[in-house]
Amino acid sequence: MSFSIERYKEESKKVDVTGIAWDDVTKHPLSKGDLFCLHYMMDIENHVPLYLSHLLVTRACMDPILTAFLACWNYEELWHGENLGRLLNLYGIEFDTQERIANVRANLGFQNSVSIFSTMAGSWLLKDFSAVYLTIGAINELTTLTGYGALIRKSGHPVLKDLLSRIIKDERRHYAFYYNSAKEWLGGNERAQKVDRWMLDRFWVPVGKGVKKQEEVDALAIYLFDDEQGEKDLLDIDARIGKLPGLAGIKLMSGALYAARERVARNPRWGHRLIENEEWAIKAPRRSAVGELTTRRTAPSDDEEMEGTLAPSGRTTRE
Ligand SMILES: [Fe+2]
Ligand SMILES: [Fe+2]
């Protein structure tokens, strides 16, 4: 598995959706579990541009190769979210993408700022922070593409399969970058290996946790991976990450599934109630997040919607 940053910079582009049979989206049913996963995945893909705020303040981003990767990666992830949203809209689930993204961000709260600050401080205090970040990147990308594979299998929806298969190709490239970069950092660096292992064992959480609550993370894990094939998929992720220097035998993803199973054993409704109750997908925002969090406090009139025209505040409506 090789990766060339120069080639990636040249070839990076938004996922090509030419020829996807969008008109057939409603011809095949999606279960509540499929829809739950699609909302989760869309929200996390759409969270990437904000997640960048955690990364760009770290010591790791003094590396121009990393920032070049992030510039392209961020753009590709944006289009993953856009297309998952498009499929949901075509399936008949109505939401405004910008409104939904703003609502997800509004619910992050103060914890998000604390998290940015602690990541920044940690990275400057810890010389080997990059090893941890790169390893987490590898796990997240591998988990994402494995999750998309599991959703293809669970849903049996041909249009979704076509879209996710194209997205998976991007995720494989992302995984290759992170994995190779982590390997490079960890190779022959015992101190970094110790720091990496120690941090992962204590602070690692599955992709999406933080934006999503524990029960949502568990619901996704139970729906996608709580069968023989799913468990094997997660053990495979652990095995591949365990090949990184210093991480032999690490059990993260399978451990997350077993912990989710324990919570379900204690409360059989746990997770399942989120999937059964679709309100989560369409519930009204706690507050008008777009207005509060952006400069677009009022909906522009038709005149103001023209490119570059002046809003009453004197600010151009689209800058
Ligand atoms: Fe993605
Ligand atoms: Fe990715």
Side-chain angles (χ1 to χ4, degrees):
M1 186 176 58
S2 64
F3 184 91
S4 153
I5 188 67
E6 290 309 321
R7 194 167 157 207
Y8 181 61
K9 273 161 39 183
E10 289 291 340
E11 295 181 358
S12 171
K13 59 179 175 17
K14 66 179 173 183
V15 61
D16 183 3
V17 294
T18 313
I20 287 187
W22 295 109
D23 291 346
D24 293 348
V25 167
T26 51
K27 290 184 185 160
H28 310 273
L30 288 164
S31 70
K32 284 185 176 180
D34 300 332
L35 292 171
F36 177 86
C37 293
L38 280 168
H39 280 86
Y40 185 114
M41 291 160 164
M42 172 184 68
D43 287 343
I44 301 310
E45 294 279 11
N46 283 333
H47 186 65
V48 166
L50 197 72
Y51 178 60
L52 262 187
S53 61
H54 281 72
L55 305 180
L56 294 174
V57 294
T58 64
R59 183 205 287 258
C61 282
M62 293 300 105
D63 175 2
I65 291 178
L66 179 57
T67 46
F69 171 79
L70 292 178
C72 304
W73 166 80
N74 182 44
Y75 182 69
E76 292 179 6
E77 303 289 15
L78 176 93
W79 288 100
H80 298 170
E82 290 277 337
N83 282 293
L84 292 176
R86 180 177 176 185
L87 188 136
L88 282 169
N89 283 157
L90 288 171
Y91 192 72
I93 297 173
E94 288 177 23
F95 58 86
D96 176 79
T97 299
Q98 307 315 319
E99 195 74 41
R100 184 166 175 103
I101 294 172
N103 289 335
V104 169
R105 291 179 187 177
N107 289 331
L108 292 174
F110 182 60
Q111 187 56 35
N112 186 54
S113 306
V114 173
S115 172
I116 292 174
F117 184 74
S118 51
T119 309
M120 178 173 73
S123 83
W124 288 97
L125 290 170
L126 219 66
K127 190 167 184 309
D128 289 306
F129 169 86
S130 293
V132 183
Y133 159 61
L134 295 168
T135 308
I136 289 174
I139 300 170
N140 286 353
E141 298 291 348
L142 185 54
T143 306
T144 302
L145 73 91
T146 305
Y148 288 155
L151 184 56
I152 289 173
R153 181 166 57 85
K154 288 275 173 187
S155 70
H157 192 289
V159 185
L160 181 59
K161 178 182 178 182
D162 190 3
L163 174 61
L164 291 180
S165 301
R166 297 176 193 220
I167 292 176
I168 283 173
K169 286 185 188 153
D170 285 353
E171 309 294 11
R172 276 195 211 290
R173 276 192 293 275
H174 302 165
Y175 168 62
F177 170 79
Y178 281 121
Y179 186 88
N180 289 336
S181 305
K183 192 173 166 189
E184 203 177 314
W185 193 285
L186 291 164
N189 186 346
E190 216 170 294
R191 189 188 56 197
Q193 293 174 21
K194 276 190 187 145
V195 167
D196 197 21
R197 180 106 200 196
W198 192 88
M199 294 285 282
L200 289 170
D201 282 339
R202 280 156 190 82
F203 300 112
W204 174 85
V205 291
V207 60
K209 174 89 193 298
V211 178
K212 299 289 178 183
K213 296 184 181 68
Q214 186 65 59
E215 187 171 3
E216 294 172 295
V217 178
D218 286 349
L220 185 97
I222 292 291
Y223 182 73
L224 290 180
F225 299 115
D226 192 22
D227 57 17
E228 203 179 319
Q229 179 64 48
E231 189 173 343
K232 183 182 168 301
D233 287 351
L234 298 188
L235 287 165
D236 282 349
I237 293 177
D238 286 341
R240 287 168 78 172
I241 296 304
K243 291 206 172 101
L244 283 171
L247 297 185
I250 199 158
K251 293 269 180 276
L252 297 173
M253 284 310 299
S254 56
L257 173 65
Y258 303 149
R261 280 180 181 164
E262 276 174 28
R263 284 185 279 270
V264 174
R266 283 198 295 274
N267 175 6
R269 298 279 302 132
W270 181 259
H272 298 289
R273 61 190 172 189
L274 296 182
I275 292 175
E276 282 306 311
N277 176 8
E278 283 189 272
E279 266 180 52
W280 53 268
I282 50 170
K283 69 184 175 196
R286 285 210 304 229
R287 54 194 126 134
S288 176
V290 170
E292 261 181 51
L293 297 176
T294 72
T295 53
R296 287 174 285 128
R297 291 187 182 282
T298 50
S301 68
D302 289 349
D303 290 347
E304 288 164 2
E305 271 197 290
M306 299 285 288
E307 185 87 22
T309 52
L310 283 176
S313 63
R315 184 185 286 276
T316 51
T317 51
R318 290 184 187 172
E319 293 173 328

